[in-house]
């Protein structure tokens, strides 16, 4: 369903409760009571034909009796009646609806038909719907309890969205006990309309929301979810608990890659690419919720542990170690400060063991020292009840010490009854408490993971070493000739890989013994011979591989043995001869590089340890195309094989740039051809640093989705590339922005005058920091249109010089000069956007800005945008003139005096 504004659901002024009943225990009665008891400040409109009044409110007989334009309708009637009620809501221009009713698609085909009818009516009428089969929504900050959960949690900055009503009530109960505050508490139900992508977009733009928690059982629009999450995770942490994982898909897969790329692993890869932190259990979700709601996010992993017992400190240290971390070392100044008041026998290290007789003042003073250290990112305070310990007094001291500090402090109060009152004091003071050191450490490390995600999202990809060339036409011919739902012949598979520049070993097919002998003599020894059969995937299992053949006699003997073994292994298999290739003796490493088409997330790339032990070792990592060199490097770094590939003992390091390029080339192949269902290069042998694929299998399965739309992340839109000539004769290459363009943006900024900077950024700016560079270059092509103008004259001059010097004429982006950039940032609804234009001072007035913005507007209109707007300072006369030339309406903003430019596209 199209994205319409959700404000009328989450910020209603009028709420109609449809199906309200005074009968005790009914959902309608609970909804009315909760709205009233919650102190909803707006108008409550009960709709029930059976009553004249409800809880002191006059009843309406139906939605059609309401005034036009009611903000929100909460529908709690039998599902069979909901379609007619939704029709009435559309006719009365109701802003949004929450459907509590169950009995939709979860009960079978009849329920699914009802949901489809509701969806069609709502979509055509522009009515947004939360549900059905949901608990409702709660917004404590505006006193809105539009749910049948009786309790209202405290107001806070944490948003929680769940498909499960039971998980909602469990989290709600915990929130009341632990004093966890929420800005939004949403039971999303069956997601007939509003889904997780919509909620992430909405919550990302809500200033009251600092962190987002999701409980996910399934996703609907995967591309929208990824687009929303990739956008919002840069500014707010998103924590996910995903349940309902199945292994059936992996078991059914035919190849190594398919068997290793199970559904759960694909979700992991998708969440990681989107910057989402994934937790594994409800307990961890609770723990993260408490830490995020009560404390600021840590900037790093440097943790101090304060404890009054050695054992708990060791437990905390061990948990850090299991996740590859350790307590932060204490600097000399911190040690000196602690020595000034701690007993002589304190640990003088981290964990900071302040001994079993520690007084409340000792705890408080130690915490103050940690606050002052510049080498710590957070503090865990552990208290084990001992004879001389006063848990209540220590809690009061910590609560007092935290006043005025925004610093990640969390606690582990170990014990039971003796610490209950102390825990209450900590909760009321906004200090997270955990029952064990392990739980406390895990919650902290999940927050550290988010901080690390942010760092990687801001990292600039390295430049591509030359422009990659692909023979798309050759690849298209090979794939169009392939048999549907079968593996391509190995020779065709290797030709396809070579068309995209992937290094493949020379391979010849022999269909007879004599043919094998002739090929062996021509190719030279030693050789490898492998079974050639579309029906046998694992050749080694079938006795279908013979290595190190050093003579014609070896070749003939191997041919006979392979065919004999294959017929015994699978009598009905189609055997089409053997393949012969040079033998690589004693390779330094064997890796697997492959891909699988996931039914939800599209193509998935797999990298890991290769050879015959691939599925036993299970050392692999998954990534989603499109990929650049930085993403390819990160993919490899997730495996144990990566450490080996750096060089081990007397084995030389692999050419890591070549491996990165192989992954990027594979990514492009998968982007261009949706029909590739599975692809295996196993093994890819690495010898003396160089890589070559010696075995390749590709399964072709046609699909209706065109290229690029089968991806869950929008790829670089190559079709938007063009050329122009500026007014002063410059040949200019116009293309979408790339993540690797950060250095070009830095160079462009250096030629901007203070006036140009002020006009574009509405203030003074000395440089583009890494965060800004990442924002300008690492864009979501589905949401944002960004075109850059590059000087082709500079490139051509460089090319001429390279030709004279007998160098490669293939250029990377560093040979270009960026002259200008224009962009339109689309809103999540896909209907509106905001434009910006920037041209370097030396090239202003040459038509570059006009051309770039005109092209951006053309793309926006083609994508279905309805309006594009921008704010222009009064003194920016050039931009005002350009806006007028391109057909923008210009109005003056009353509050600021700035000019608003807006253009409307005809539908």
């Amino acid at each position: 369903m199209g994205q319409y504004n959700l404000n009328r659901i989450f910020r209603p002024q009028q709420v109609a409760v449809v199906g309200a009943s005074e009968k005790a225990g009914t959902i309608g009665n609970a909804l009315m009571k909760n709205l009233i008891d919650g102190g909803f400040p707006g108008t409550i409109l009960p709709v029930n034909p059976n009553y004249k009044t409800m809880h002191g409110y006059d009843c309406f007989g139906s939605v059609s009796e309401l005034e036009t334009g009611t903000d929100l309708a909460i529908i709690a009637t039998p599902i069979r009646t909901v379609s007619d009620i939704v029709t009435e809501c559309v006719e009365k221009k109701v802003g949004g609806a929450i459907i509590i009713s169950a009995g939709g698609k979860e009960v079978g085909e009849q329920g699914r038909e009802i949901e489809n009818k509701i969806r069609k009516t709502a979509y055509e009428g522009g009515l947004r719907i939360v549900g059905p089969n949901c608990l409702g929504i709660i917004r404590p900050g505006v006193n809105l309890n539009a749910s049948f959960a009786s309790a209202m949690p405290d107001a806070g900055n944490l948003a929680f969205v769940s498909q499960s009503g039971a998980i909602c009530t469990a989290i709600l109960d915990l929130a009341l006990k632990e004093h966890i505050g929420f800005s939004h508490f949403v039971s999303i139900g069956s997601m007939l309309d509003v889904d997780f992508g919509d909620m992430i977009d909405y919550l990302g733009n809500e200033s009251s929301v600092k962190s987002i928690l999701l409980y996910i059982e399934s996703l609907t629009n995967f591309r929208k979810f990824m687009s929303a999450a990739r956008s919002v995770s840069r500014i707010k942490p998103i924590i996910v608990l995903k349940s309902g994982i199945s292994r059936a898909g992996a078991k059914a897969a035919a190849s190594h890659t398919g068997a290793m790329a199970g559904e759960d692993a694909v979700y992991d890869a998708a969440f990681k690419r989107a910057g989402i932190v994934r937790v594994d259990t409800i307990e961890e979700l609770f723990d993260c919720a408490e830490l995020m709601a009560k404390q600021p996010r840590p900037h790093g992993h440097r943790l101090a542990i304060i404890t009054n017992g050695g054992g708990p400190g060791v437990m905390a240290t061990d948990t850090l170690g299991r996740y590859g971390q350790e307590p932060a070392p204490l600097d000399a100044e911190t040690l000196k400060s602690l020595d000034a008041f701690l007993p002589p026998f304190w640990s003088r290290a981290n964990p900071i063991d302040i001994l079993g007789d520690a007084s409340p003042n000792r705890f408080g003073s130690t915490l103050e020292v940690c606050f002052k250290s510049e080498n710590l990112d957070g503090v865990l305070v552990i208290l084990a009840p001992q004879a001389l310990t006063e848990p209540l007094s220590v809690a009061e001291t910590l609560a007092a010490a935290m006043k005025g500090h925004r610093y990640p402090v969390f606690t582990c109060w170990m014990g039971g009854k003796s610490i209950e009152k102390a825990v209450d004091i900590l909760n009321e003071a906004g200090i997270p408490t955990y029952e064990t050191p392990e739980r406390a450490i895990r919650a902290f490390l999940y927050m550290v993971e988010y901080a690390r995600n942010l760092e990687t999202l801001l990292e600039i990809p390295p430049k591509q070493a030359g422009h990659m060339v692909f023979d798309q036409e050759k690849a298209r011919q090979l794939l169009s000739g392939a048999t549907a739902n079968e593996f391509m012949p190995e020779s065709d598979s290797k030709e396809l890989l070579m068309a995209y520049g992937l290094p493949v070993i020379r391979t010849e097919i022999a269909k007879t013994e004599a043919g094998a002998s002739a090929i062996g003599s021509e190719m030279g020894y030693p050789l490898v011979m492998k079974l050639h059969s579309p029906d046998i995937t694992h050749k080694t299992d079938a006795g279908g591989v013979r290595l190190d053949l050093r003579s014609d006699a070896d070749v003939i003997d191997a041919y006979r043995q392979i065919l004999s073994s294959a017929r015994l292994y699978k009598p009905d298999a189609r055997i089409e001869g053997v393949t012969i290739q040079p033998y690589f003796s004693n390779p330094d490493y064997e890796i697997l590089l492959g891909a699988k088409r996931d039914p939800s997330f599209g193509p998935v790339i797999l990298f890991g340890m290769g050879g015959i032990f691939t599925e036993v070792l299970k050392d692999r990592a998954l990534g989603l195309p499109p990929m650049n060199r930085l993403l390819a490097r990160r993919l490899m770094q997730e495996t144990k094989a990566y450490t080996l590939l750096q060089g081990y003992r007397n084995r030389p390091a692999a050419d890591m740039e070549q491996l990165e390029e192989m992954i990027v080339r594979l990514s492009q192949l998968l982007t261009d051809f949706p029909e590739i269902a599975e692809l295996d290069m196993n093994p890819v042998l690495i010898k003396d640093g160089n890589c070559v694929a010696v075995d390749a299998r590709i399964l072709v399965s046609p699909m209706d989705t065109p290229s690029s739309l089968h991806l869950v992340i929008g790829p670089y839109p190559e079709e938007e590339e063009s050329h122009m000539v500026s007014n002063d004769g410059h040949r200019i290459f116009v293309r979408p922005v790339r993540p690797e363009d950060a250095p070009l943006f830095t160079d462009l900024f250096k030629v901007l005058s203070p006036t140009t900077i002020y006009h574009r950024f509405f203030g003074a700016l000395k440089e583009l920091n890494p965060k800004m560079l990442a924002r300008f270059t690492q864009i979501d092509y589905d949401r944002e249109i960004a075109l850059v103008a590059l000087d082709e004259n500079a490139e051509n001059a460089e090319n001429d010089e390279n030709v004279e010097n007998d160098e490669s004429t293939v250029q990377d982006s560093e040979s270009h000069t960026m002259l200008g950039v224009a962009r339109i940032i689309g809103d999540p609804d896909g209907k509106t956007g905001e434009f910006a234009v920037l041209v370097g001072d030396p090239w202003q007035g040459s038509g570059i800005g006009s051309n770039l913005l005109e092209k951006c507007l053309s793309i926006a209109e083609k994508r279905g945008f309805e309006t594009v707007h921008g704010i222009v300072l009064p003194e920016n006369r050039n931009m005002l003139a350009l806006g007028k030339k391109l057909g923008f309406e210009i109005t003056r903003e009353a509050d600021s005096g700035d000019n608003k430019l807006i253009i409307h596209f005809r539908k």
Side-chain angles (χ1 to χ4, degrees):
M1 181 175 289
Q3 283 257 15
Y4 298 93
N5 198 306
L6 299 181
N7 277 333
R8 294 178 72 186
I9 293 178
F10 290 100
R11 295 180 180 175
Q13 298 301 311
Q14 313 91 24
V15 177
V17 182
V18 186
S21 171
E22 284 189 332
K23 184 178 178 182
T26 63
I27 292 175
N29 183 60
L31 289 165
M32 282 289 294
K33 187 174 185 301
N34 291 343
L35 280 168
I36 296 166
D37 292 350
F40 176 62
T43 305
I44 301 174
L45 307 168
V47 178
N48 193 317
N50 300 318
Y51 296 93
K52 289 185 177 181
T53 62
M54 293 280 303
H55 297 281
Y57 291 81
D58 292 334
C59 274
F60 294 85
S62 67
V63 172
S64 60
E65 295 180 15
L66 297 174
E67 288 188 17
T68 299
T70 297
D71 288 324
L72 174 63
I74 311 173
I75 303 172
T77 65
I79 193 73
R80 66 180 181 275
T81 67
V82 173
S83 178
D84 290 339
I85 294 170
V86 167
T87 299
E88 291 180 349
C89 288
V90 168
E91 290 171 351
K92 298 301 292 187
K93 292 183 169 50
V94 174
I98 300 171
I99 301 178
I100 305 293
S101 320
K105 63 185 178 184
E106 70 272 11
V107 301
E109 189 57 36
Q110 185 177 0
R112 190 180 301 277
E113 289 177 5
I114 293 172
E115 283 198 14
N116 288 340
K117 188 176 180 182
I118 295 169
R119 182 185 294 106
K120 183 174 185 295
T121 302
Y123 179 82
E124 291 173 351
L127 178 75
R128 298 309 309 260
I129 293 175
V130 173
N133 191 21
C134 71
L135 191 75
I137 68 171
I138 304 175
R139 287 210 57 202
V142 296
N143 295 325
L144 173 66
N145 185 354
S147 78
F148 61 90
S150 58
M152 175 94 82
D154 294 338
N157 56 29
L158 182 66
F160 177 68
V161 185
S162 170
Q163 270 177 288
S164 165
I167 296 296
C168 277
T169 55
I171 288 272
L172 193 56
D173 197 48
L174 172 86
L176 296 170
K177 175 188 173 187
E178 301 288 345
H179 297 277
I180 299 173
F182 290 91
S183 61
H184 298 70
F185 199 90
V186 183
S187 170
I188 204 169
S190 300
M191 299 189 298
L192 177 147
D193 169 27
V194 174
D195 59 16
F196 283 108
D198 294 320
M199 288 307 308
I200 291 171
D201 269 326
Y202 179 77
L203 296 170
N205 287 306
E206 281 283 281
S207 59
S208 63
V209 177
K210 302 304 180 189
S211 307
I212 300 170
L213 277 174
L214 307 176
Y215 172 78
I216 296 176
E217 291 174 354
S218 62
L219 293 173
T220 49
N221 190 324
F222 289 79
R223 185 152 168 162
K224 181 171 70 175
F225 172 84
M226 289 294 290
S227 180
R230 290 174 66 220
S231 174
V232 173
S233 66
R234 292 173 180 268
I235 55 175
K236 300 177 183 182
I238 303 174
I239 311 295
V240 167
L241 172 61
K242 169 71 178 74
S243 63
I245 299 301
S246 167
R247 294 176 60 87
K251 290 181 180 178
S255 69
H256 289 292
T257 302
M260 294 180 69
E263 182 181 340
D264 194 38
V266 178
Y267 269 97
D268 263 343
F271 290 153
K272 197 169 294 182
R273 180 70 178 271
I276 291 172
V277 175
R278 184 180 186 181
V279 299
D280 298 322
T281 66
I282 291 178
E283 179 182 80
E284 291 175 355
L285 190 68
F286 286 178
D287 292 345
C288 281
E290 184 171 9
L291 189 56
M292 284 197 304
K294 294 179 177 179
Q295 295 290 290
R297 297 191 295 271
H299 296 294
H301 65 274
R302 300 173 302 176
L303 181 67
I305 303 168
I306 302 172
T307 176
N308 68 336
V314 172
M315 293 164 63
T317 302
D318 286 345
T319 305
L320 282 170
R322 280 194 289 274
Y323 291 91
Q325 303 289 342
E326 59 184 23
L330 303 178
D331 57 70
E333 189 175 339
T334 300
L335 287 169
K336 181 180 178 182
S337 298
L338 293 172
D339 280 335
F341 63 87
L342 289 179
F345 302 110
W346 80 278
S347 60
R348 299 204 84 254
N350 192 7
I352 305 169
D353 185 353
I354 59 176
L355 306 181
D357 64 347
S359 65
N361 285 340
R362 195 183 295 172
F363 270 98
S365 298
T366 305
L367 184 59
E368 287 288 349
V369 171
C370 292
F371 283 156
K372 294 175 182 176
S373 173
E374 295 182 356
N375 299 312
L376 297 174
D377 299 307
V379 179
L380 167 61
V381 182
I382 304 176
L383 182 141
Q386 301 187 44
L388 300 177
T389 306
E390 302 172 31
L392 187 59
S393 297
V394 174
E396 290 171 342
T397 300
L398 291 187
M402 283 297 295
K403 287 181 180 177
H405 288 282
R406 289 290 294 160
Y407 191 88
V409 174
F410 53 111
T411 65
C412 170
W413 250 233
M414 302 181 72
K417 196 169 184 65
S418 65
I419 63 162
E420 286 180 355
K421 290 183 179 179
V423 170
D424 287 342
I425 287 174
L426 292 171
N427 283 329
E428 289 171 7
I431 302 174
T433 59
Y434 299 96
E435 295 177 353
T436 66
E438 292 89 344
R439 288 178 63 179
I441 293 292
R442 280 200 305 267
F444 174 76
L445 290 179
Y446 278 127
M447 294 300 93
V448 170
E449 183 180 339
Y450 173 70
R452 191 164 55 241
N453 286 349
L454 274 185
E455 287 180 9
T456 56
L457 287 172
L458 297 177
E459 196 172 346
I460 305 299
K463 65 182 178 68
Q464 194 69 50
H467 181 64
M468 292 187 182
V469 178
F470 309 102
D471 192 343
Q472 199 173 55
E473 186 55 38
K474 177 68 176 294
R476 185 175 289 108
Q477 290 174 4
L478 288 164
L479 286 166
S480 63
T483 304
N485 301 312
E486 288 191 7
F487 282 98
M488 297 174 68
E490 184 175 356
S491 56
D492 288 355
S493 296
K494 289 181 175 176
E495 275 197 69
L496 177 60
L497 296 176
M498 287 189 289
Y500 268 65
L502 289 153
V504 175
I505 198 168
R506 179 190 172 188
T507 303
E508 302 289 345
I509 298 174
K511 297 186 176 182
T512 65
E513 186 178 297
S517 176
I519 290 171
S521 299
E522 185 271 329
M523 191 175 289
Y525 309 104
L527 299 169
V528 175
M529 186 180 293
K530 299 178 184 179
L531 175 67
H532 186 40
S533 168
D535 299 324
I536 299 176
T537 300
H538 304 303
K539 304 178 185 69
T540 304
D541 295 350
V545 179
R546 291 292 184 272
L547 307 175
D548 199 15
L549 308 179
R550 295 182 170 272
S551 65
D552 185 55
D554 287 350
V555 169
I556 293 171
D557 183 55
Y559 184 90
R560 293 171 180 171
Q561 288 186 30
I562 285 175
L563 264 62
S564 175
S565 297
R567 292 189 181 104
L568 287 173
Y569 179 78
K570 192 173 184 179
D572 60 341
R574 290 169 293 172
I575 297 173
E576 299 176 354
V578 297
T579 61
I580 299 173
Q581 56 194 222
Y583 176 56
F584 269 62
S585 61
N586 300 316
D588 297 319
Y589 312 102
E590 295 186 29
I591 62 166
L592 161 68
L593 182 57
K596 168 196 172 183
R597 188 174 70 207
D598 183 82
S600 301
F601 287 99
V604 181
I605 293 174
L606 183 143
F607 175 90
M609 191 74 78
I612 61 174
F613 300 116
T614 293
E615 291 173 41
V616 177
L617 296 174
K618 294 182 179 178
D619 176 36
R620 73 335 178 226
L622 305 181
L624 301 176
M627 301 194 85
N628 54 36
R629 281 186 54 195
L630 176 61
L631 293 171
R633 178 66 63 108
R634 288 183 194 154
L635 177 69
M636 294 189 289
Q637 287 172 342
E638 292 178 33
T639 66
K640 297 182 179 69
Y642 181 80
T643 304
L644 287 175
L645 294 172
Q646 306 304 300
Y648 182 71
R649 294 189 175 177
N650 62 338
R651 297 188 179 191
D655 184 339
M656 302 309 294
E657 287 196 8
Q658 185 188 14
L659 285 172
E660 289 170 12
E661 184 175 318
M662 288 181 69
I663 293 171
V664 174
R665 288 181 177 276
L666 174 60
S667 169
Q668 190 61 48
L669 177 63
L670 299 170
T671 298
D672 291 343
F673 296 102
E675 58 266 42
I676 296 176
E678 290 186 19
L679 185 152
D680 264 348
M681 288 181 275
N682 184 30
V684 174
L685 298 183
I686 301 175
K687 180 76 172 177
D688 298 327
N690 297 313
C691 313
V692 62
V694 300
D695 205 351
R697 288 172 60 80
I698 297 175
L699 177 66
V700 177
S701 175
M703 64 183 304
D704 296 331
T705 308
S707 175
S708 85
L709 293 182
H710 67 299
L711 301 177
V712 79
I713 298 172
Y716 174 81
E718 188 175 355
E719 67 276 8
E720 307 298 352
E721 294 181 349
S722 63
H723 299 266
M724 65 167 283
V725 178
S726 66
N727 297 342
D728 55 0
H730 274 80
R731 283 180 47 82
I732 294 171
F733 178 35
V734 177
R735 63 160 172 81
V737 69
R738 290 184 177 132
E740 297 86 357
D741 287 339
L744 299 181
F745 272 84
T746 299
D747 291 341
L748 174 62
F749 188 82
K750 291 175 182 177
V751 303
L752 302 180
S753 66
T755 300
T756 298
I757 292 172
Y758 181 75
H759 285 169
R760 170 61 181 87
F761 298 101
F762 289 33
L765 192 66
K766 291 184 177 180
E767 64 177 5
L768 298 178
N769 61 41
K771 189 173 183 179
M772 295 177 73
L773 286 170
R775 171 64 193 86
F776 291 152
T777 59
Q778 299 179 30
I779 70 168
D780 184 337
Y781 294 116
D782 282 348
R783 293 179 176 232
E784 190 168 341
I785 303 161
L787 299 178
V788 297
L790 305 174
D791 186 355
E792 285 191 306
N793 290 358
E795 181 191 11
N796 291 336
E798 185 74 21
N799 282 347
D800 293 342
E801 183 180 335
N802 286 337
V803 170
E804 290 176 8
N805 295 330
D806 197 28
E807 296 176 3
S808 171
T809 59
V810 177
Q811 294 297 300
D812 59 57
S813 63
E814 285 192 353
S815 63
H816 287 294
T817 298
M818 184 181 289
L819 311 180
V821 58
R823 67 181 71 232
I824 295 175
I825 303 172
D827 289 340
D829 62 7
K831 302 297 181 185
T832 59
E834 183 174 4
F835 77 86
V837 184
L838 177 67
V839 176
D841 283 68
W843 309 289
Q844 291 177 6
S846 57
I848 294 172
S850 174
N851 186 280
L852 287 175
L853 183 54
E854 200 166 10
K855 289 181 185 297
C856 285
L857 291 171
S858 175
I859 296 168
E861 185 174 17
K862 185 170 60 178
R863 290 189 184 181
F865 279 59
E866 294 177 359
T867 62
V868 172
H869 67 274
I871 301 297
V872 178
L873 296 174
E875 57 268 39
N876 192 353
R877 294 188 181 89
N878 290 339
M879 188 64 238
L880 291 172
L882 174 58
K884 188 174 182 179
K885 172 187 172 184
L886 295 179
F888 281 88
E889 299 173 10
I890 303 175
T891 58
R892 182 67 63 91
E893 296 281 275
D895 54 345
S896 65
D898 297 335
N899 294 289
K900 183 173 183 178
L901 277 62
I902 186 167
I903 191 168
H904 300 271
F905 299 118
R906 287 175 296 181
K907 293 184 180 179

